[in-house]
Amino acid sequence: MKRIILPALLVCSWQAFAVDPFEDFHEYGQLSEEEIHKIHKGELLYGDMEFGFMVSRGNTNSTSFKLKGNLYQDFEKWRNQFKLDTLYKRDRNEETGDEEVSADRIFVSGQGNYKLNVKNESFFIYGDYERDKFSGLEFKSTIATGYGNRIYQGSKNKVDIDVGPGLYRSVADQETATEEDETKTGYLLRLALQWERTVSARTRFNQDVSYEQSLSGLNSRLKSETSLISKIMGDVSLKFTYMYRYNSKPEEDKLKYDSELSATFVYSF
């Protein structure tokens, strides 16, 4: 009996590891991202907007609001992408009873990809601006340029990368800054990766990672966004996101990392 059961268990274990965990879903999506761009080609703007709002009362008293946008333009020679990410949160101080702001952040970015003659290859220009009230900085911004390409294209997956040099600039909070660290400017190398997987006819998985390595001895930054998006009705979807940020040299009294887990509604147009 043991001689029969053991091989069977080994076969079952091998099959369990070999099976793609996403294969349990139904038919794959009918439209790829390229087909979506083709449908909207020449339009002024298209994409999606995310909304999240939560109020807690009782043992925990807080109010939070989240707004995100991912907008595109697709023309003959240029494909442009604009991103907006905001978070605002207020918590009640149990000792004083006052409402206090505990999160206040806005991030905007824009990237233009000039399409080269070879399919999926491009020359990109990227810029971003971030203001976080609790980061110890007045603002920080990045500008970079370089080469972009799709390194993998399959029936269910696509992986795009961008790599190139850039500049980083930050301005310290005027209330706490000294002349020494008030403004910092330096060179960097930016690497960005976007992985999109079609899970089912109504669901997709996205993984976006960007890494900026300082070449001037300043802070290096990592940003990772993992999300699962499922269509629930018409143009409305539900999105679950895990965001992770890492800063190698944070401001005084700040942690090197922060993370955020959210569930939002997405409207596509």
Side-chain angles (χ1 to χ4, degrees), residues 130-184:
E130 182 174 1
R131 182 189 60 77
D132 187 342
K133 184 177 179 180
F134 297 94
S135 68
L137 295 174
E138 188 72 23
F139 73 87
K140 56 187 174 183
S141 61
T142 298
I143 185 169
T145 185
Y147 171 78
N149 197 0
R150 178 161 298 167
I151 60 175
Y152 179 78
Q153 175 75 63
S155 60
K156 299 175 288 185
N157 299 276
K158 69 176 185 65
V159 181
D160 296 328
I161 63 165
D162 295 321
V163 59
L167 290 171
Y168 168 82
R169 184 171 186 262
S170 67
V171 176
D173 190 333
Q174 300 301 311
E175 296 181 358
T176 59
T178 62
E179 291 185 4
E180 183 178 347
D181 61 4
E182 185 173 352
T183 301
K184 295 179 180 179

Side-chain angles (χ1 to χ4, degrees), residues 96-114:
T96 64
D98 297 330
E99 292 279 343
E100 298 178 352
V101 178
S102 57
D104 185 1
R105 185 183 71 246
I106 179 170
F107 171 87
V108 292
S109 70
Q111 178 165 323
N113 285 71
Y114 180 79

Side-chain angles (χ1 to χ4, degrees), residues 31-49:
L31 292 178
S32 66
E33 186 179 90
E34 289 302 316
E35 290 172 322
I36 293 173
H37 288 313
K38 187 175 181 180
I39 291 173
H40 295 281
K41 193 175 183 67
E43 293 183 9
L44 180 61
L45 282 176
Y46 63 95
D48 53 63
M49 297 294 295

Side-chain angles (χ1 to χ4, degrees), residues 49-53 65-68 263-267:
M49 297 294 295
E50 297 179 37
F51 307 90
F53 183 72
F65 175 76
K66 187 173 185 64
L67 172 65
K68 293 183 68 175
T264 56
F265 287 105
V266 181
Y267 173 71

Side-chain angles (χ1 to χ4, degrees), residues 61 90-101:
N61 294 278
R90 295 179 66 92
D91 294 314
R92 178 174 293 177
N93 188 316
E94 298 301 330
E95 295 182 359
T96 64
D98 297 330
E99 292 279 343
E100 298 178 352
V101 178

Side-chain angles (χ1 to χ4, degrees), residues 10 13 22 34 44 62 107 111 164 173 176-177 214 242 255 263 269:
L10 290 174
S13 299
F22 288 117
E34 289 302 316
L44 180 61
S62 66
F107 171 87
Q111 178 165 323
D173 190 333
T176 59
S214 175
Y242 176 74
L255 296 176
F269 58 94

Side-chain angles (χ1 to χ4, degrees), residues 138-264:
E138 188 72 23
F139 73 87
K140 56 187 174 183
S141 61
T142 298
I143 185 169
T145 185
Y147 171 78
N149 197 0
R150 178 161 298 167
I151 60 175
Y152 179 78
Q153 175 75 63
S155 60
K156 299 175 288 185
N157 299 276
K158 69 176 185 65
V159 181
D160 296 328
I161 63 165
D162 295 321
V163 59
L167 290 171
Y168 168 82
R169 184 171 186 262
S170 67
V171 176
D173 190 333
Q174 300 301 311
E175 296 181 358
T176 59
T178 62
E179 291 185 4
E180 183 178 347
D181 61 4
E182 185 173 352
T183 301
K184 295 179 180 179
T185 304
Y187 298 102
L188 59 84
L189 179 66
R190 175 178 170 82
L191 173 65
L193 180 145
Q194 304 88 37
W195 170 30
E196 180 178 289
R197 179 181 178 90
T198 303
V199 176
S200 72
R202 305 178 70 87
T203 306
R204 73 179 188 272
F205 169 85
N206 286 349
Q207 176 65 61
D208 293 340
V209 179
S210 64
Y211 178 70
E212 296 173 358
Q213 174 64 51
S214 175
L215 304 178
S216 305
L218 301 178
N219 58 320
S220 297
R221 300 186 296 170
L222 171 71
K223 186 176 182 179
S224 172
E225 179 178 309
T226 307
S227 58
L228 188 67
I229 308 151
S230 183
K231 184 176 291 187
I232 56 177
M233 180 180 64
D235 295 325
V236 179
S237 303
L238 183 60
K239 180 178 181 181
F240 298 94
T241 303
Y242 176 74
M243 178 74 78
Y244 177 84
R245 298 180 181 85
Y246 176 82
N247 186 345
S248 65
K249 295 181 179 181
E251 301 306 303
E252 189 176 354
D253 298 328
K254 305 297 179 182
L255 296 176
K256 288 188 175 182
Y257 71 92
D258 66 83
S259 61
E260 177 184 313
L261 185 64
S262 63
T264 56

